């Protein structure tokens, strides 16, 4: 196939796959368009079967990890962990909306870091609606905090975001080294988000609230919390001894799943659904389509604008390009396209690209799939978000968080 035709065809198919993923007509899964598109780019010769297989093979451990984390988050939700967290935040806020916002920030940041951004958007956001209602607070600042932190607080661990898993694999870092390098950027992003959201929603936060009724308090599921903590420790240990953290995720999930099955609180079919197999297939197929786009011109186009080195200005430029690309073609294709270009330069540029694709999506709905899921949750609660308000908030937070986190990364790399 002519290279220009291959570039146009593969680019058109990528946009079509992303548009379908955004709209999802009649709730149809993203994979039913992504899989034929992947087959088409291979069949037309836009990407060779060998390259398509290499891409799929490299993504398989990442997708397996994603499936395990999704099941782990669902089991934690089934055991009442998120409802208990919401209850704790409601009681600690004492009827003060500003304290409630701080509590939501804490829970959302930890949930995103440990159980991935999908858990924050899909499982925690409905709990925050209930929590705000229990104390009579306006839910808007708190549910907006969920979606912003689902992206901004996903910098810390390789398990926090699918983009992190991809970058982690390409960076050559250990699990603990990755966390050490991203700790300050993570804290910087959260601090900037808190300051901006508190001022942006000052009127809502100034409205009154009341303490929750004590009778509504819930017991913290200690066993689930302990398994979750041990799984986190296992992530670090397996990485140190050269074993894929994937096995630690499987082990933690298996313990909670076996307990839930023994108590008849779940079924094998429910566990399979929680793993979102069709979404996992979508990720694999999307990887092949992106490979075709990258091979047929996107790589040379991006490489012309990306500077080399690890200076502060270089890292800021990489983060800015990554953020822009995430808002144009979604953050998952963006990191897939960027990693082959920045990985040879070392972990600094890889992590700068990660900062861009994780923080940039707070600017537009299409920036990340998590934001699209969050918008769907709000529609289900008759609280459809305002495009203007979402965009204004994004314009205030995205540039500030990008700069603060990238500067923090550069500072950490100098130590």
């Amino acid at each position: 196939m002519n290279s220009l035709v291959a570039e146009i065809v593969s680019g058109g198919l990528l946009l079509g796959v992303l548009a379908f993923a955004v709209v999802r007509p009649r709730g149809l899964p993203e994979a039913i368009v992504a899989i034929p598109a992947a087959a088409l780019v291979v069949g037309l010769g836009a990407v060779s079967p060998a390259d398509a297989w290499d891409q799929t093979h490299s993504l398989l451990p990442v997708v397996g990890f994603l499936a395990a984390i999704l099941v782990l988050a669902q089991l934690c939700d089934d055991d009442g962990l998120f409802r208990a967290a919401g209850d704790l935040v409601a009681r600690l806020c004492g009827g003060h909306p500003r304290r409630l916002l701080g509590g939501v920030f804490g829970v959302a940041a930890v949930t995103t870091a440990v159980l991935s951004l999908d858990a924050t958007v899909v499982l925690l956001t409905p709990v925050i609606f209930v929590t705000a209602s229990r104390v009579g607070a306006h839910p808007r600042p708190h549910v907006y905090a969920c979606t912003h932190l689902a992206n901004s607080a996903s910098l810390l661990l390789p398990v926090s975001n699918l983009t992190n898993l991809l970058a982690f694999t390409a960076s050559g870092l250990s699990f603990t080294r990755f966390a050490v390098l991203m700790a300050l950027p993570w804290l910087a992003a959260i601090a900037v988000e808190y300051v901006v959201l508190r001022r942006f929603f000052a009127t809502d936060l100034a409205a009154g609230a009341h303490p929750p009724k004590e009778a509504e308090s819930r017991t913290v599921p200690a066993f689930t919390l302990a398994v979750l903590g041990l799984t986190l420790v296992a992530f670090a240990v397996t990485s140190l001894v050269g074993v894929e953290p994937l096995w630690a995720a499987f082990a933690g999930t298996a313990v909670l799943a076996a307990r839930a099955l023994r108590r008849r609180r779940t079924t094998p079919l429910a566990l399979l659904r929680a793993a979102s197999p069709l979404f996992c297939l979508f990720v694999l197929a999307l990887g092949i389509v992106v490979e075709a786009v990258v091979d047929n011109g996107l790589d040379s186009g991006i490489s012309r604008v990306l500077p080399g080195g690890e200076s502060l200005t270089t890292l800021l430029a990489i983060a800015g390009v990554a953020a822009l690309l995430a808002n144009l073609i979604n953050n998952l294709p963006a990191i897939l396209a960027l990693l082959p270009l920045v990985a040879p330069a070392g972990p600094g540029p890889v992590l700068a690209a990660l900062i861009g694709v994780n923080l940039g999506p707070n600017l537009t709905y299409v920036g990340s799939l998590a934001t699209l899921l969050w918008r769907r949750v709000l529609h289900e609660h008759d609280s459809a978000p305002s495009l203007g308000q979402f965009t204004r908030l994004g314009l205030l937070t995205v540039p500030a968080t990008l700069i603060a986190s990238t500067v923090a990364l550069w500072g950490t790399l100098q130590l």
Side-chain angles (χ1 to χ4, degrees):
M1 177 183 281
N2 177 283
S3 60
L4 178 62
V5 175
E7 185 177 348
I8 294 172
V9 169
S10 54
L13 286 171
L14 175 60
L15 293 177
V17 168
L18 293 175
F20 188 87
V22 170
V23 179
R24 285 193 69 196
R26 300 180 181 179
L28 292 170
E30 303 90 343
I32 67 168
V33 168
I35 292 174
L40 201 54
V41 294
V42 175
L44 293 174
V47 63
S48 70
D51 286 345
W53 168 246
D54 287 344
Q55 178 77 332
T56 303
H57 188 259
S58 67
L59 286 175
L60 277 176
V62 174
V63 171
F65 201 122
L66 171 69
I69 288 295
L70 289 175
V71 177
L72 185 65
Q74 183 61 57
L75 290 167
C76 288
D77 185 49
D78 293 345
D79 286 344
L81 184 62
F82 297 114
R83 292 188 295 277
D87 176 73
L88 179 64
V89 169
R91 284 186 283 119
L92 291 178
C93 86
H96 298 283
R98 293 188 185 90
R99 290 187 197 169
L100 179 63
L101 182 66
V104 171
F105 258 72
V107 172
V110 172
T111 300
T112 300
V114 176
L115 289 172
S116 87
L117 73 173
D118 294 316
T120 300
V121 167
V122 177
L123 303 176
L124 183 62
T125 300
V127 172
I128 296 305
F129 266 113
V130 174
T131 303
S133 174
R134 285 183 60 196
V135 299
H138 199 295
R140 188 167 48 182
H142 315 292
V143 296
Y144 267 78
C146 286
T147 185
H148 266 247
L149 290 187
N151 292 313
S152 299
S154 68
L155 294 174
L156 184 62
L157 301 177
V159 300
S160 306
N161 195 330
L162 184 55
T163 55
N164 295 25
L165 290 170
L166 295 165
F168 173 59
T169 304
S171 69
L173 296 168
S174 69
F175 191 97
T176 48
R177 181 62 179 161
F178 182 101
V180 167
L181 288 175
M182 294 305 273
L184 277 180
W186 180 70
L187 290 172
I190 294 171
V192 171
E193 292 279 9
Y194 179 75
V195 171
V196 175
L197 260 74
R198 183 161 169 163
R199 291 184 65 84
F200 190 83
F201 291 110
T203 303
D204 293 316
L205 295 172
H210 56 76
K213 297 177 182 176
E214 288 299 326
E216 294 175 337
S217 63
R218 301 173 189 276
T219 304
V220 175
F223 181 83
T224 304
L225 202 56
V227 172
L228 197 57
L230 289 173
T231 304
L232 273 180
V233 173
F235 286 151
V237 173
T238 52
S239 181
L240 286 175
V241 297
V243 176
E244 289 278 356
L246 166 69
W247 300 111
F250 276 143
T253 304
V255 171
L256 290 185
R259 180 170 175 261
L261 287 169
R262 191 179 70 250
R263 295 185 170 188
R264 299 182 186 279
R265 297 176 66 175
T266 190
T267 64
L269 182 59
L271 293 174
L272 180 62
R273 285 175 177 162
S276 297
L278 286 177
F279 184 76
C280 292
L281 288 175
F282 161 72
V283 173
L284 294 174
L286 180 63
I288 294 174
V289 177
V290 171
E291 178 75 15
V293 176
V294 170
D295 288 352
N296 289 290
L298 184 61
D299 56 348
S300 57
I302 298 175
S303 63
R304 280 196 289 269
V305 299
L306 284 180
E310 285 192 326
S311 67
L312 176 58
T313 53
T314 296
L315 297 183
L316 286 169
I318 292 173
V321 170
L324 179 63
L325 200 60
N327 282 292
L328 290 175
I329 63 171
N330 189 270
N331 64 348
L332 185 55
I335 196 67
L336 286 169
L338 286 167
L339 285 178
L341 303 175
V342 297
V350 170
L351 297 181
L354 186 63
I355 287 173
V357 298
N358 283 7
L359 302 184
N362 278 332
L363 189 58
T364 64
Y365 287 151
V366 298
S368 76
L369 294 174
T371 305
L372 297 173
L373 290 172
W374 170 80
R375 191 179 59 159
R376 196 175 303 166
V377 171
L378 263 62
H379 276 284
E380 291 170 357
H381 285 78
D382 297 324
S383 298
S386 158
L387 175 61
Q389 188 175 54
F390 184 90
T391 306
R392 287 195 303 276
L393 184 58
L395 287 170
L396 291 172
T397 59
V398 169
T401 52
L402 274 179
I403 293 171
S405 294
T406 307
V407 170
L409 171 65
W410 176 80
T412 305
L413 290 170
Q414 309 310 307
L415 298 177

